[in-house]
Amino acid sequence: QKEVEQNSGPLSVPEGAIASLNCTYSDRGSQSFFWYRQYSGKSPELIMSIYSNGDKEDGRFTAQLNKASQYVSLLIRDSQPSDSATYLCAVYANAGKSTFGDGTTLTVKP
Amino acid sequence: SAVISQKPSRDICQRGTSLTIQCQVDSQVTMMFWYRQQPGQSLTLIATANQGSEATYESGFVIDKFPISRPNLTFSTLTVSNMSPEDSSIYLCSVVWGRANTEAFFGQGTRLTVV
């Protein structure tokens, strides 16, 4: 079992829809969780951090964390073509290091 | 967050040669990290570069292949030695910032092609 697993994707949604990206992790003691967006040919960009159970909203993005289920998700409301990218889930391990999932590629169709 | 400048942004190299990638941060940071992202795959940590001590390598990566320097708190280099086509990848420099130094920020990356 991988330490961080994401929807295999690719995920395609129409413009204006809600995109839902999911991630599970294996270390029950993990405390810090992140979502990165990576456009093709670019480096990953941090878009959300979440540390407590529940929802965290930032504009059109909502991160959801359920530590009991070892589950993290990212919802993108009113999806735009500019949201088309690969989304990486990351779980903080120790000493500044995080473990990254394989990513889910999202395409938002106009 | 810190501003991270990485160069070169891309290079095409002959097999058997070496390439040194530079990473400059606009703030002093204790730890710098080097990741590899192979085509279509996620990020794999190569090593942690600490100022004043040898780098700490992850399983599967060795100093002879990926020597790292960290001469001060704002700069690091990664060398990819004796390259083969399997080393073709994106190499990313990273620092941690934010809450308890857990949030990772990345340089622009170096896209390496070995022919």
Side-chain angles (χ1 to χ4, degrees):
Chain A
Q1 181 189 3
K2 289 184 178 180
E3 294 179 55
V4 180
E5 294 205 50
Q6 297 184 238
N7 304 75
S8 58
L11 176 65
S12 180
V13 300
E15 184 174 356
I18 296 175
S20 178
L21 304 162
N22 302 314
C23 173
T24 58
Y25 58 95
S26 60
D27 183 355
R28 185 169 288 278
S30 299
Q31 298 293 322
S32 304
F33 308 87
F34 312 97
W35 284 99
Y36 290 83
R37 178 176 61 200
Q38 187 173 25
Y39 291 116
S40 181
K42 302 294 185 182
S43 60
E45 171 193 11
L46 179 66
I47 56 172
M48 289 287 280
S49 308
I50 187 165
Y51 305 95
S52 304
N53 280 329
D55 295 359
K56 178 182 177 182
E57 187 174 315
D58 183 1
R60 296 186 295 110
F61 297 92
T62 299
Q64 299 175 317
L65 173 60
N66 184 326
K67 291 183 181 179
S69 301
Q70 297 174 239
Y71 175 89
V72 191
S73 67
L74 180 69
L75 300 178
I76 306 174
R77 292 183 301 281
D78 187 24
S79 295
Q80 302 297 309
S82 59
D83 296 326
S84 298
T86 297
Y87 290 81
L88 301 169
C89 174
V91 179
Y92 183 75
N94 59 74
K97 298 181 284 188
S98 289
T99 302
F100 289 81
D102 289 341
T104 301
T105 298
L106 171 67
T107 300
V108 181
K109 295 186 175 180
Chain B
S1 63
V3 175
I4 306 167
S5 301
Q6 189 175 334
K7 58 181 181 181
S9 58
R10 59 178 61 232
D11 208 340
I12 300 173
C13 300
Q14 296 291 322
R15 68 178 65 200
T17 63
S18 298
L19 176 72
T20 296
I21 302 167
Q22 298 180 7
C23 180
Q24 179 75 51
V25 186
D26 70 342
S27 303
Q28 293 186 339
V29 292
T30 304
M31 294 180 287
M32 295 176 73
F33 303 88
W34 289 97
Y35 286 85
R36 181 175 73 182
Q37 187 173 33
Q38 294 182 304
Q41 298 188 27
S42 190
L43 282 70
T44 301
L45 181 64
I46 297 171
T48 303
N50 298 305
Q51 194 267 336
S53 63
E54 284 204 357
T56 304
Y57 290 83
E58 299 299 307
S59 176
F61 297 96
V62 295
I63 187 171
D64 289 346
K65 177 66 175 177
F66 298 101
I68 287 171
S69 78
R70 182 78 199 275
N72 58 52
L73 291 174
T74 63
F75 187 79
S76 178
T77 67
L78 170 75
T79 298
V80 186
S81 302
N82 188 25
M83 288 183 284
S84 66
E86 291 71 34
D87 295 319
S88 297
S89 191
I90 298 172
Y91 293 85
L92 292 155
C93 171
S94 172
V95 302
V96 288
W97 208 256
R99 175 167 164 160
N101 279 339
T102 58
E103 299 174 349
F105 294 88
F106 295 89
Q108 307 95 314
T110 297
R111 184 179 295 270
L112 171 63
T113 302
V114 183
V115 298

